Amino acid sequence: MKNISVFSRGLCLTIVVVCLLCPVLVGAAGMVEIESPDTIGVGKPLLVNVTSWYPLDDVVVAWNGREVRPAITQNGGKYHALVYLGIGLRGGLGVYPIDVTASFWGHTYRFSKDVSVVESAWGKETLSVPPKMVKPPKKALERIAQERELIMTAINTVSPERYWRLPFSRPAKGKMLSRFGLYRIFNGDTASRHTGLDFRAWEGTPLYSMAAGRVVLKGSFYYAGNCIYVDHGNGFVSMYAHMSKVLVKEGDMLASGQKIGLSGATGRVNGAHLHLATFVQGQVVDPEPLFDINADTMPQIGWIDGLHADR
């Protein structure tokens, strides 16, 4: 009986050791799942969910030369690291890997998933604006250059905490007008691409933050007029332009749907409206798909962020 007892204790100890070493013994296979679309268009955002039944630690997601450490949450017994990536309007076509590095119990593993980037269809629109807004006078060039430096710093903000949650709030109640990516013909010349999404908003219409976040830049800019940039965390930034009045200041922490200002016609415009722009890891991407995410397209993501299939 004594020998059996010793054998039992030894067997139990062996089982405990095997269980503790299990992640190391089985390797990386099956430890992490990278949930995302397999194909996206140029200029489009890419929602990625890194999930595991094991306790995720220090997750790093690399995409198109940039890295982000997404915040890790736990729901339903699983660990999640949710992040927005994307390809800007000047991005190239081809296959891009989503490279993920994650640690479990002090051991580091690497995972990868390929995403195909394909061409997107773009339209065009013709606008009439004051000539100085197409070809700025020399005295305005220095101002524009200085503003560009401030803007580049704002859109490249990558804070460690994720403030945004699904679904996003509409920033204005008006109809969506000029879509992202349009070739814009100003006064007869193709001058630029539309790097945002316009909402109909008559002068003085209340405007709202599309998600929780911190105001990282506020100003009156040559092209954007009165506008703000909001850091929503983990490399996601939104910008609201042409306002007649801004009701928040730099450093303010905003709630999703919080009133941020009133619509106007400041900057390069031909009428009052809201111009919304969104950036992921410094790349400008189409805001419109952000309002289409639902529990049917990615049920796990929808579940952890409070969406329902009947939304």
Side-chain angles (χ1 to χ4, degrees):
M1 183 68 68
K2 181 177 181 181
N3 289 337
I4 293 176
S5 177
V6 171
F7 174 78
S8 299
R9 288 198 297 270
L11 179 61
C12 290
L13 179 60
T14 301
I15 292 174
V16 169
V17 171
V18 170
C19 289
L20 290 174
L21 294 178
C22 182
V24 178
L25 296 176
V26 300
M31 294 180 69
V32 160
E33 183 177 2
I34 303 173
E35 300 172 347
S36 76
D38 296 325
T39 302
I40 63 166
V42 171
K44 304 299 182 178
L46 175 66
L47 182 59
V48 178
N49 188 21
V50 179
T51 68
S52 178
W53 289 105
Y54 299 95
L56 283 170
D57 184 30
D58 194 24
V59 174
V60 179
V61 178
W63 164 266
N64 195 26
R66 300 289 297 269
E67 289 187 352
V68 60
R69 282 180 161 81
I72 300 169
T73 59
Q74 185 179 9
N75 288 281
K78 293 187 74 173
Y79 294 82
H80 304 264
L82 196 59
V83 64
Y84 260 113
L85 307 174
I87 291 290
L89 279 172
R90 294 182 177 85
L93 308 182
V95 177
Y96 289 70
I98 303 173
D99 292 319
V100 175
T101 302
S103 298
F104 304 91
W105 297 289
H107 298 274
T108 300
Y109 299 91
R110 289 175 172 79
F111 312 87
S112 186
K113 175 182 178 178
D114 288 339
V115 174
S116 296
V117 176
V118 299
E119 188 56 86
S120 298
W122 309 112
K124 65 179 181 179
E125 66 178 351
T126 301
L127 300 168
S128 295
V129 297
K132 68 177 183 179
M133 288 301 180
V134 179
K135 296 180 180 180
K138 289 184 179 180
K139 63 181 181 180
L141 296 179
E142 183 177 353
R143 172 190 173 183
I144 293 171
Q146 292 173 346
E147 291 175 354
R148 178 175 173 78
E149 289 186 13
L150 294 174
I151 291 169
M152 292 302 294
T153 298
I155 67 176
N156 282 283
T157 302
V158 183
S159 52
E161 185 175 353
R162 176 170 71 91
Y163 303 118
W164 60 267
R165 288 177 60 85
L166 301 175
F168 291 109
S169 299
R170 284 175 64 97
K173 295 180 179 180
K175 179 182 178 182
M176 294 181 185
L177 300 173
S178 296
R179 264 37 183 208
F180 178 88
L182 291 173
Y183 290 92
R184 311 193 88 178
I185 302 171
F186 288 104
N187 302 347
D189 294 324
T190 301
S192 66
R193 302 287 296 279
H194 192 216
T195 56
L197 173 64
D198 290 350
F199 288 81
R200 176 177 292 156
W202 310 121
E203 184 91 22
T205 299
L207 305 176
Y208 309 93
S209 177
M210 65 182 292
R214 189 179 306 279
V215 180
V216 291
L217 180 61
K218 171 187 174 181
S220 179
F221 297 93
Y222 187 84
Y223 289 119
N226 299 326
C227 75
I228 63 169
Y229 289 77
V230 180
D231 167 30
H232 302 291
N234 283 175
F236 183 87
V237 176
S238 64
M239 171 261 213
Y240 310 78
H242 309 310
M243 290 190 278
S244 61
K245 187 174 184 179
V246 179
L247 301 178
V248 295
K249 61 183 184 300
E250 287 185 17
D252 282 356
M253 191 68 201
L254 309 179
S256 178
Q258 180 174 331
K259 188 175 178 179
I260 56 174
L262 305 176
S263 66
T266 57
R268 183 167 71 178
V269 296
N270 61 355
H273 69 280
L274 168 66
H275 172 92
L276 171 72
T278 50
F279 306 85
V280 289
Q281 321 310 322
Q283 297 288 306
V284 62
V285 296
D286 188 358
E288 193 166 348
L290 301 175
F291 301 104
D292 294 333
I293 293 295
N294 58 55
D296 295 321
T297 57
M298 297 191 77
Q300 296 90 342
I301 291 177
W303 179 76
I304 66 171
D305 261 13
L307 293 183
H308 303 284
D310 60 353
R311 171 176 169 258

